[in-house]
Amino acid sequence: MKPLMLQGHQRAITQIKYNREGDLIFSSAKDSKPSVWYSLNGERLGTFNGHIGAVWCVDVDWTTTRLITGAGDMNTFLWDVETGTALGKIPCNSSVRTCNFSFSGNQASYSTDRAMNHPCELFVIDVRNIDASISSADPVLKLTMNEQQSKITSMLWGALDETVITGHENGSLRIWDLRAVKELNSVNDHTASITDMQMSSDGTMFVSSSKDCSAKLFDSDSLMCLKTFKTERPVNSACISPLFEHVALGGGQDAMEVTTTSTQAGKFDSRFFHLVYEEEFARVKGHFGPINSMAFHPDGKSFATGGEDGFVRIQVFDSSYYEHTFE
């Protein structure tokens, strides 16, 4: 099956997300214009204009009515998905690295980098009724990371909006109780920076990818490491199939170390592992640079990858994928 090439971003893709139905893909890139695309034919519906820096993160709520983006221009924007207008803008002290809506869509959280004498902070805000006053409103909750906790590089909401799981630059994972405002647990299974974390469709497990050349599967409640998927190069993103027991990994070297031979050497392939047996069973070629973000379609029949080359590629699985069984 020929992949769809979604061309529209001028610079490297930083994150891609499907909405809940899977008919839309939201992409953020370093060119300051988050975009929304039809996942079926790859047509770009439009952009969300307002940022003036690289957009690091994007998330859409479960009703596909609101979008949250965080960028290097030290702002978090909340958007109306349908019209593309900015509903609110929250100024921060440093660039915004992660942002996520909670499962209910009533709250959102975002984290800022440690920079310019400001510590890394995690904010939780109420997004039930957004207007211009949100820029000066106090957050529901603010957690400040100390020196050992290091910078937050990725984040997920836990079950029932009661916890937030954070992945850090030093490879640690932490789970926070939002009601008691305290750290419940932390694990150090990864040895280098966490690049991405994505939940399984039922929320019981999540997969984390790291620059230590591995992706790991964790229990989302106890943070117990269940499986490890090893590769030879840094993993920038990993996702769990909602349909089969498959995990997809994407990565490549750091953008600054990319050479001309890397594409031929298969360094930028999407790699498919079996969730249980930890064995690689397939690779999909495509990008001309490292894969920065990837996601499965909610029905599990296709997946999208966003690369350093500025393209989003949607690959629909052909029939042999469904017939594949492990001996």
Side-chain angles (χ1 to χ4, degrees):
M1 179 70 192
K2 193 162 174 279
L4 289 172
M5 298 268 289
L6 277 51
Q7 191 175 8
H9 284 293
Q10 260 79 49
R11 293 192 58 203
I13 306 292
T14 51
Q15 198 170 25
I16 47 175
K17 288 258 171 87
Y18 278 96
N19 66 343
R20 183 179 157 127
E21 291 77 30
D23 59 336
L24 299 177
I25 293 180
F26 294 86
S27 60
S28 63
K30 292 182 184 172
D31 62 3
S32 77
K33 288 195 170 81
S35 298
V36 54
W37 317 73
Y38 281 123
S39 64
L40 191 67
N41 57 7
E43 182 189 342
R44 178 152 79 165
L45 274 160
T47 57
F48 298 88
N49 302 341
H51 280 296
I52 50 170
V55 184
W56 293 115
C57 51
V58 62
D59 194 28
V60 59
D61 67 353
W62 66 280
T63 55
T64 321
T65 48
R66 299 206 186 113
L67 190 78
I68 184 170
T69 55
D73 60 11
M74 307 197 281
N75 284 311
T76 301
F77 270 84
L78 288 144
W79 311 86
D80 181 339
V81 169
E82 192 180 356
T83 60
T85 49
L87 299 172
K89 166 179 164 181
I90 308 166
C92 308
N93 291 325
S94 56
S95 61
V96 183
R97 185 64 52 181
T98 66
C99 61
N100 270 316
F101 281 106
S102 69
F103 187 73
S104 66
N106 291 338
Q107 291 175 303
S109 59
Y110 60 93
S111 74
T112 58
D113 283 354
R114 203 177 111 212
M116 301 176 290
N117 298 334
H118 293 289
C120 170
E121 291 174 322
L122 174 70
F123 299 88
V124 177
I125 52 171
D126 190 322
V127 290
R128 276 175 293 204
N129 33 18
I130 311 168
D131 52 26
S133 68
I134 197 164
S135 59
S136 53
D138 287 331
V140 179
L141 179 69
K142 178 169 122 179
L143 290 162
T144 305
M145 305 295 134
N146 58 28
E147 285 291 320
Q148 319 98 300
Q149 285 167 333
S150 89
K151 178 178 111 179
I152 296 176
T153 51
S154 77
M155 172 182 64
L156 288 172
W157 279 83
L160 299 173
D161 298 1
E162 289 171 0
T163 54
V164 162
I165 304 163
T166 54
H168 296 256
E169 199 169 33
N170 61 6
S172 63
L173 292 166
R174 299 170 195 276
I175 186 161
W176 305 85
D177 185 326
L178 299 180
R179 298 225 173 112
V181 198
K182 67 175 199 292
E183 187 182 321
L184 293 176
N185 192 3
S186 73
V187 291
N188 288 329
D189 289 284
H190 283 292
T191 53
S193 175
I194 309 282
T195 49
D196 188 22
M197 300 193 303
Q198 294 194 32
M199 277 282 177
S200 62
S201 54
D202 59 3
T204 54
M205 306 175 291
F206 67 92
V207 65
S208 64
S209 59
S210 167
K211 291 198 170 149
D212 65 5
C213 305
S214 73
K216 290 179 191 283
L217 186 72
F218 289 91
D219 183 281
S220 60
D221 202 33
S222 64
L223 295 189
M224 188 171 98
C225 182
L226 306 169
K227 299 284 172 190
T228 302
F229 311 97
K230 291 193 179 71
T231 67
E232 319 79 71
R233 50 191 71 89
V235 186
N236 292 341
S237 189
C239 49
I240 303 174
S241 166
L243 195 58
F244 297 117
E245 294 184 324
H246 294 167
V247 175
L249 275 60
Q253 328 94 306
D254 285 331
M256 58 183 183
E257 291 164 12
V258 171
T259 63
T260 48
T261 56
S262 300
T263 317
Q264 283 83 30
K267 292 187 177 175
F268 308 136
D269 302 357
S270 315
R271 308 171 66 157
F272 285 78
F273 285 77
H274 195 280
L275 184 87
V276 182
Y277 304 129
E278 304 179 356
E279 288 201 9
E280 184 179 353
F281 65 88
R283 287 191 185 191
V284 179
K285 285 195 169 9
H287 284 284
F288 299 107
I291 293 173
N292 288 340
S293 181
M294 60 192 307
F296 270 102
H297 189 287
D299 68 6
K301 293 177 182 173
S302 60
F303 72 101
T305 54
E308 191 71 31
D309 53 10
F311 288 101
V312 177
R313 295 174 75 98
I314 303 172
Q315 190 89 40
V316 179
F317 295 117
D318 41 27
S319 56
S320 59
Y321 175 77
Y322 306 104
E323 293 151 13
H324 177 84
T325 53
F326 265 82
E327 280 74 44

